[in-house]
Structure formats: C-alpha cells, structure tokens
Amino acid sequence: MKKINTLKSLLLLITVLTFSMCEDSEKIQFVVKDSFDNIEPIEVKGLKGQTSYTLSTTADISELLDNASSFVKAEVESIAISLVDYSGNSIEGNIKISSGSLTFLDQNVSISETPSALTIPSGVINILSILKTGVFPVTIEGVVNPAIADNDFELRLTFVVKAVVE
Amino acid sequence: MKKLIIGALLAFSTTISYAQLDFGTILEGNVADANRYAEGYLEPLAVGFGQGINGGWYSTAKTHKFLGLDIKVIASGAIVPSEKESFTFNNSDYGSIKLDDSSLSQAQLPTILGSKELGDRPLLEFSSNGGSISTSSLPGFNQIIKDNIGLNAVPSSMVQVGLGLFKNTDLKVRFIPKQTIDDNEFSVFGIGIMHDIKQWIPGVKLLPFHLSAFGGYTNIKSAVLLDASNNPDQVVELDTNSYVFQLVASKKLAFLTVFGGVGTTSYKSDLSVLGVFNTSNTDTPIVDPITLNYTGSNLRANLGIDIKLLFLNISAEYAVQEYDTLTATVGFSIR
C-alpha cells in the first residue's frame, strides 16, 4: 500500500470516532478495502533456464485493523502480479498462488512488468482463518514455458483485500 | 448518551487526541470535503438542539401574581424525522471522496442519528496522490439513542425560573453557569417574557380561559478541548441560539391544566473547530479548519397538560415543528 498519510489518517479518524462514541457494549463494524503492495518484492535468483519454481513471502494487512480491535472478515478480491527488472518480455505459464490450504488462483497467465489484476476465480476468499496478527503466508508455484530468461529479477504481488473490522 | 453528544460535537476532530493522530495531515487535502461531509452528517444534531431547547417555557397561559414564582427542571427530546436519518452524498460535490461503487453518482449515507448497519453505509473511496482506500461511511447512532431514551431524539435539559412582574407579565430565565467537566465546558442562558393579552381585549377577558403572548430566547454554548495539555488552543465549539414567539392559551380543569400555543420558532447553530493545526507534509499550518452553520425557522404548535400534585407541578407537551419535540417538566409554583 502506498504511503497515503492523509487517507490513512482519515480512515483512522473515522474508525476511532466511531469507537469513541459508542457505549462499551456497542460494537460498530466497518468495511475497509485497500490494495497492499507493501509485500516485499520477491527476489528471484538463479532460476535462468528453469521451467518451474516455488517462492514464498508474507502479506501484512494489519493496517486495515488500525484502531479496531479485530477482524470479523477478511477476503482477498484480486491479486496483481508483475515483474521488476526482468530481461525478457514476459513469463508465460501456469501460476498457483496459495496460503496454507487456501488457493487464491491457479491458472495460466502472462506476467510482465505491467501489473495485471487477476480476479480470484471463485469470487473472494476468506483469509480470516489464516491471519495471524494481520499477517498471512503466501506461496507462489509456477510452471513456465518457455524457460525463465533471467537469473536475477523480482516478482511483485499486490493484494486487494476487503475486510470487516470492529 | 454523554459519549454520543460529546462525540457528535467533535465529529471529525474529537478523536485526534484519542488516537494521537495528526489532524493537520487529515485536513491538508480534505478541508473542504470534511466540512461538506460533516455538514450533512451532523445536521440532525445541530437542528435537534435548536428545536429541542424551545420546549418547556410554559405550562399555563396564566401569569403569576406580582412576585409569584416558579422553578422547574425541563427535559426535551427533538424527534429526528426519518428522512433526516440519512443525507444525500453526491460524488460531484466532493474532491477526494467518491462512492466506491463507480456505477453510482449519489447515495444516501447515515447521519449521526441514522443507522449503523453495514448495509446502510455505502463504501466511500478516499483518493490522494494517485492512491486510494475505501471504507464504510460513518455510522449513525439511532439505535443507541433508542436504547437509552426509547425514541430517536436529540435530548436537552435545563433549569428555569419564572417570576411575576407588573401587569400580568412573567419574566422567565434559564441559566446554567459555565460548567467544566474534564476538558469540556457547557453553559445555558435563556430569557423569556409572557404577557397576559386577554386583559386588553374587551369581551374576551371575561371568557373562562387564559390567553397570553410569549417570546423566548435560549442560548447553549459548549466547548471541548481537543488536546488540553499540548495544544490548548484547539477546541470544538457548538453555539446554538433559538427563538420562539407564540400565542398561548390554557384552561384549568380541577387539578389539571390543558395548555397550547401557536407561533414561530427559529434557530441558529454554529459548530466550529478552532485552533492552529500543523501539517506533516507542509509547513503551512491550518487555522480554524471547520465552520458549520445551521439555520432555520418554522411554525410551531404545541399542546400539553400540567398536573398539580401537592406542591409539584408535572407537565408534558408535544410540539409540532420541523423536529417534533416532546418535553416534560417538574417543578413548583407559588402565586
């Protein structure tokens, strides 16, 4: 997620305002939707000539929680994937992005330096069960054809997450 | 209830110190939008105060004898009309806030006295510097109000003293000196005159009821310091002035008095966020960022009963006006 201090503060303000106005027994829920590209770009090294790969990273969506006390629901709506500093044009083939037993997508894609948003095929996926303090693991598995053409590049993922917090 | 009222007064600003947020940053790109949104969101509160504090001025049209006295406690609730539980959000009215659903150009959002349900709160997209984030619109708190007082109304209360003067004229004064609770200040002042006009109308003065003219003015001031220790100049103020002019009639039936009035009422409520707010991205401080003004006038007709129980006078009245108002009073009257 880009540094948008104003927006973040406004979100915080709205959330805190609500909670400060409620009686203790009252819980107010908010839907919050944002894109997260604060996942560290995945460094891909030594895969030149390979036709398959497995990478792993983590996604931190704790910023959605802010002053709310907990997630009620958290769903991944889409994932955008792109290449950084790749010497070829694109990587063609099947990609599977998953977290634990949840598979976000498993499909043929063309990955280039232009981010392309991939809607989760089955709609949205509830990641509440795999969230730990706002963080969930991500595994990327790929089978490509032709083979990977670069020995040192980065893979960047951007998740669009819609959450209900209270 | 206290939390609701205080929170409502502070609206977009009260939470800053709570969350240690940088209010200047929030205002930096959204001063105009914040003002516009707050205007719609807070309207029922400001108008409700303006309408509600006009209740309870009298419970009879009969004026006191010379130096006669009455003292009473007044509690009012201005009932929020159902159409004021939401306000229309038009994309075209805002710069950096839009409806998240791009197929819509406008939508109904809850006011502070509207619904808190997620389904009634469309997502809003806040954009800045090429990025955006979407979140539910602000919730309303009508359910909390209903749970506390039984109906969706803006409550107010005060103490009033009435004194009989000359020529069947009563002076009525409402007064609560400035009260300071934590970082909040609150005061009430009001003055009214009721004069028996029946005595001046030949023929009518012999009829078996009382008829008076009444005029009253009430002012409520409140102020909340946002950050008393570090920024004592940052304050949210609500200043409400309300006027009422009516013809009042009453008829006593044993221990029961039926009273009613017709006339006009008007109000002016100003809500301001004052002080100097520094921004994190520029060196330009923002001064007195939010100013909202609400004014209105309308016809007012009310009907009520007053019951004398030993030394106590207990009354209840219902006023039909922009925000219909229920008022109850308890007090005593001499002469």
Side-chain angles (χ1 to χ4, degrees), chain B residues 2 31 73 76 82 91 113 130 133 139 152 176 236 249 255 285 296 314-315:
Chain B
K2 179 186 172 188
V31 173
V73 176
S76 293
S82 58
N91 274 342
L113 291 167
I133 188 171
N152 191 20
I176 296 177
V236 175
F255 60 91
I314 300 172
S315 77

Side-chain angles (χ1 to χ4, degrees), chain A residues 68-157:
Chain A
S69 59
S70 62
F71 283 102
V72 176
K73 185 189 292 185
E75 299 172 332
V76 176
E77 285 196 336
S78 66
I79 302 172
I81 186 166
S82 60
L83 299 173
V84 179
D85 296 332
Y86 186 67
S87 57
N89 290 328
S90 63
I91 295 177
E92 310 286 338
N94 182 270
I95 189 169
K96 178 182 177 184
I97 301 177
S98 60
S99 181
S101 60
L102 296 177
T103 299
F104 298 125
L105 57 86
D106 185 355
Q107 65 185 79
N108 286 320
V109 296
S110 175
I111 308 170
S112 67
E113 293 195 353
T114 303
S116 56
L118 305 173
T119 302
I120 307 302
S122 59
V124 291
I125 287 191
N126 192 344
I127 56 173
L128 195 59
S129 61
I130 57 173
L131 271 181
K132 291 182 178 175
T133 62
V135 178
F136 62 94
V138 177
T139 302
I140 305 109
E141 300 168 82
V143 178
V144 301
N145 185 18
I148 293 171
D150 195 329
N151 225 15
D152 186 5
F153 62 98
E154 292 180 352
L155 199 62
R156 187 186 296 274
L157 297 178

Side-chain angles (χ1 to χ4, degrees), chain B residues 278-317:
Chain B
N278 293 310
T279 66
S280 59
N281 297 330
T282 74
D283 295 328
T284 306
I286 297 174
V287 181
D288 301 345
I290 290 182
T291 302
L292 302 172
N293 307 111
Y294 302 89
T295 60
S297 61
N298 53 264
L299 296 175
R300 183 180 199 271
N302 60 308
L303 187 64
I305 57 171
D306 180 271
I307 300 172
K308 180 99 173 168
L309 293 175
L310 299 177
F311 301 104
L312 281 181
N313 282 83
I314 300 172
S315 77
E317 70 166 82

Side-chain angles (χ1 to χ4, degrees), chain B residues 39-82:
Chain B
E39 184 178 15
Y41 181 70
L42 296 175
E43 181 184 335
L45 187 82
V47 176
F49 269 126
Q51 299 266 294
I53 60 178
N54 270 333
W57 275 110
Y58 52 81
S59 53
T60 176
K62 181 184 179 184
T63 53
H64 285 295
K65 295 181 174 66
F66 181 63
L67 295 183
L69 183 73
D70 70 273
I71 299 175
K72 59 184 173 182
V73 176
I74 303 165
S76 293
I79 302 167
V80 179
S82 58

Side-chain angles (χ1 to χ4, degrees), chain B residues 144-212:
Chain B
I144 296 175
I145 295 284
K146 289 175 184 173
D147 290 345
N148 279 275
I149 62 175
L151 72 168
N152 191 20
V154 179
S156 58
S157 61
M158 58 193 73
V159 177
Q160 176 179 300
V161 176
L163 180 67
L165 302 177
F166 307 97
K167 295 286 185 183
N168 297 329
T169 302
D170 284 359
L171 172 68
K172 298 174 184 292
V173 176
R174 301 170 155 187
F175 182 65
I176 296 177
K178 184 184 289 185
Q179 305 290 309
T180 301
I181 303 171
D182 297 329
D183 295 329
N184 308 319
E185 293 178 352
F186 177 80
S187 65
V188 176
F189 175 75
I191 188 165
I193 294 286
M194 189 164 76
H195 179 69
D196 180 350
I197 59 172
K198 195 177 135 189
Q199 62 184 312
W200 308 110
I201 306 173
V204 174
K205 64 182 178 183
L206 299 176
L207 296 177
F209 64 90
H210 293 94
L211 181 66
S212 294

